[in-house]
Amino acid sequence: MLIKNIGLLAGIVPEGVLRKEGAEQGRVECLENAWLSFENGRITGFGPMESCPAPVNRSDTPEVINAYGALLMPGFCDSHTHIVYAGSRDGEFLDKINGLSYEEIAARGGGILNSSDLLHETPEKELYRQSMVRVKEMMAKGTVAMEIKSGYGLNPEDELKMLRVIRRIRESVPAAVRSTFLGAHAVGRGYTHEAYVQAVIDLIPEAARLADFVDVFCDEGFFTVEDTERILLAAKGLLRPKIHANELAVSGGVQVGVKHGALSVDHLERTTDAEIEALRGSGTMPTMLPGSSFFLGLPYGRAKDYIKAGLGVALASDYNPGSSPSGDMRFVMAQGCIKMRLTPQEAFNAVTLNSAYAMDLSREYGSITVGKRAGLILTTPGWDLTKLAYQYQTPFIRKVFFG
Ligand code: NIG
Ligand code: FE
């Protein structure tokens, strides 16, 4: 496959660069008037149009796409979603409009427990069918790699049901899918807090056969730093952590995540300089979810301060029924610019390479690099990185490639 007359080929990264930090986050290498080729799902070459490869003979003729001067970029990488769920929580949306907070809705038995009840009643096949609608929506919007969490099962049987559904999604779509065991999302019905934490720990060996990562909602009213530490120790060597931290309070979740080698710590709506300090020199990617700040009216994360401190930042959608009912990564990128004052370049790296890193996929996705999977977005003509964020609702996709 050969794509020619690319007006702007954006997101070129040398092999081996797995994330962008500090000033590097603000740099996006581009080539104007370019071509790109791929074969068997992987990028095989790119360069300026003057060097565009000409077919040698008929059997050698590649399928050629004329980009007509448009933008070609890596597809979006969404490192934090909860898109396997049943039904909807639109009733709580009305409670929210009427002034109840996320915590108040949860305390009345709504929130995550409401989704857990719905999931329990929904057969596995039907759960898969409902979830696939969202997966396809995300893919149509340009997401080529995604992470999906369990966490609405909240008992061993239903957590495994969710993880099997995620595996089935992974087997049936061309997008890359990573799976996270988030048993510790809320205390399941019928358990004491202590008994539930133990049940999560007991489930880890079995969950590890289906999942890639482990996550804990380490926040006020949910799980403590001590609970988190116990769960991460039990998962050591089996599942690498990705932690929900500092959404509702300064929770200590960042520090415990860094201590246990978390791949990412996510949310971070509420952080002090101590969290930034804790992340310095670590392999942990701070990941912010502006969609949930938008939907819940929470503060936006201090992305700019993290970058100033020399760190990299990823942005993800958090697509879920309670705090971010959208998987639109282009809107996430725009919010990064509009609400967090990231430059379009910083936001672009946050939704591509850095988000791929946050799910351990940046060897395969997140940039234009020879050898990587051809997960790409070809736009209609007239787009550049600034316009993507600025004119944030105008349709821009001509075609998404999944290798
Ligand atoms: O990332 N914060 C915890 N979990 C989800 C919300 C889940 C829900 O409300 O269903 C989040 O925001
Ligand atoms: Fe989340």
Side-chain angles (χ1 to χ4, degrees):
M1 182 85 78
L2 175 70
I3 307 176
K4 62 174 195 177
N5 296 328
I6 301 162
L8 189 68
L9 179 63
I12 301 166
V13 169
E15 204 192 319
V17 175
L18 300 181
R19 58 178 164 168
K20 292 213 168 206
E21 298 178 286
E24 265 307 301
Q25 175 134 16
R27 294 197 192 104
V28 175
E29 204 186 317
C30 299
L31 201 56
E32 284 177 25
N33 197 21
W35 61 271
L36 176 140
S37 62
F38 59 94
E39 203 174 334
N40 297 327
R42 289 185 188 273
I43 298 172
T44 47
F46 57 85
M49 271 311 284
E50 303 89 74
S51 73
C52 188
V56 181
N57 56 46
R58 271 197 81 80
S59 63
D60 202 30
T61 304
E63 191 179 327
V64 179
I65 293 179
N66 192 338
Y68 297 112
L71 165 69
L72 185 73
M73 58 176 269
F76 296 125
C77 299
D78 191 348
S79 62
H80 183 138
T81 85
H82 309 248
I83 46 111
V84 170
Y85 62 83
S88 159
R89 302 235 296 271
D90 48 2
E92 290 171 22
F93 180 54
L94 300 177
D95 293 340
K96 187 179 104 69
I97 293 170
N98 288 327
L100 292 188
S101 71
Y102 185 77
E103 291 95 322
E104 285 164 338
I105 291 169
R108 291 161 110 217
I112 296 167
L113 286 179
N114 185 356
S115 285
S116 157
D117 294 341
L118 286 167
L119 187 129
H120 181 71
E121 293 155 14
T122 305
E124 194 161 326
K125 241 182 155 169
E126 174 59 14
L127 182 62
Y128 168 79
R129 194 194 63 77
Q130 292 184 19
S131 304
M132 275 297 282
V133 173
R134 291 180 280 272
V135 172
K136 287 183 182 157
E137 175 202 348
M138 290 166 67
M139 288 168 57
K141 286 184 168 170
T143 296
V144 296
M146 65 184 79
E147 180 256 20
I148 310 173
K149 299 173 196 295
S150 74
Y152 294 123
L154 307 185
N155 64 56
E157 205 178 298
D158 289 331
E159 280 295 310
L160 293 173
K161 172 162 106 179
M162 287 191 77
L163 291 175
R164 284 193 302 270
V165 167
I166 299 170
R167 185 179 60 184
R168 196 169 155 208
I169 291 170
R170 188 204 300 241
E171 286 164 358
S172 51
V173 297
V177 174
R178 283 285 177 271
S179 170
T180 300
F181 172 51
L182 175 57
H185 197 194
V187 173
R189 287 207 197 275
Y191 289 90
T192 63
H193 187 98
E194 173 52 34
Y196 188 69
V197 172
Q198 192 55 50
V200 168
I201 289 172
D202 293 343
L203 192 57
I204 285 173
E206 215 172 334
R209 279 189 233 122
L210 291 162
D212 304 296
F213 310 118
V214 63
D215 194 343
V216 177
F217 189 8
C218 180
D219 222 319
E220 199 167 86
F222 289 85
F223 295 90
T224 64
V225 168
E226 292 69 37
D227 300 332
T228 307
E229 186 135 50
R230 282 181 60 203
I231 292 167
L232 298 192
L233 283 171
K236 204 174 162 150
L238 292 173
L239 295 167
R240 196 153 172 210
K242 280 169 69 67
I243 302 295
H244 273 76
N246 298 54
E247 176 184 4
L248 308 171
V250 178
S251 69
V254 171
Q255 287 83 348
V256 72
V258 170
K259 179 174 166 195
H260 292 279
L263 197 47
S264 70
V265 286
D266 302 32
H267 270 290
L268 314 178
E269 284 87 347
R270 303 175 201 271
T271 48
T272 66
D273 293 345
E275 279 69 35
I276 295 179
E277 236 7 87
L279 281 157
R280 263 191 220 265
S282 75
T284 304
M285 178 63 69
T287 300
M288 297 178 194
L289 312 168
S292 52
S293 298
F294 171 74
F295 191 78
L296 297 180
L298 302 177
Y300 286 82
R302 298 165 54 193
K304 208 77 191 173
D305 293 336
Y306 283 65
I307 293 172
K308 264 192 218 136
L311 297 167
V313 166
L315 297 177
S317 74
D318 197 18
Y319 195 171
N320 77 72
S323 69
S324 182
S326 160
D328 187 331
M329 286 298 281
R330 196 272 196 93
F331 184 47
V332 168
M333 178 184 169
Q335 286 180 300
C337 295
I338 298 161
K339 294 294 188 182
M340 302 162 113
R341 297 184 167 272
L342 297 179
T343 65
Q345 289 72 20
E346 287 168 339
F348 175 88
N349 284 322
V351 294
T352 55
L353 189 69
N354 283 0
S355 196
Y357 178 96
M359 52 181 158
D360 202 17
L361 275 177
S362 66
R363 279 176 197 82
E364 293 277 67
Y365 286 90
S367 67
I368 305 295
T369 306
V370 170
K372 277 196 183 180
R373 303 285 309 171
L376 306 165
I377 297 173
L378 177 62
T379 71
T380 52
W383 293 95
D384 58 34
L385 301 190
T386 303
K387 275 198 196 130
L388 270 191
Y390 166 66
Q391 223 169 311
Y392 62 92
Q393 289 215 307
T394 306
F396 75 111
I397 292 178
R398 174 174 158 199
K399 191 170 173 61
V400 186
F401 297 93
F402 297 93

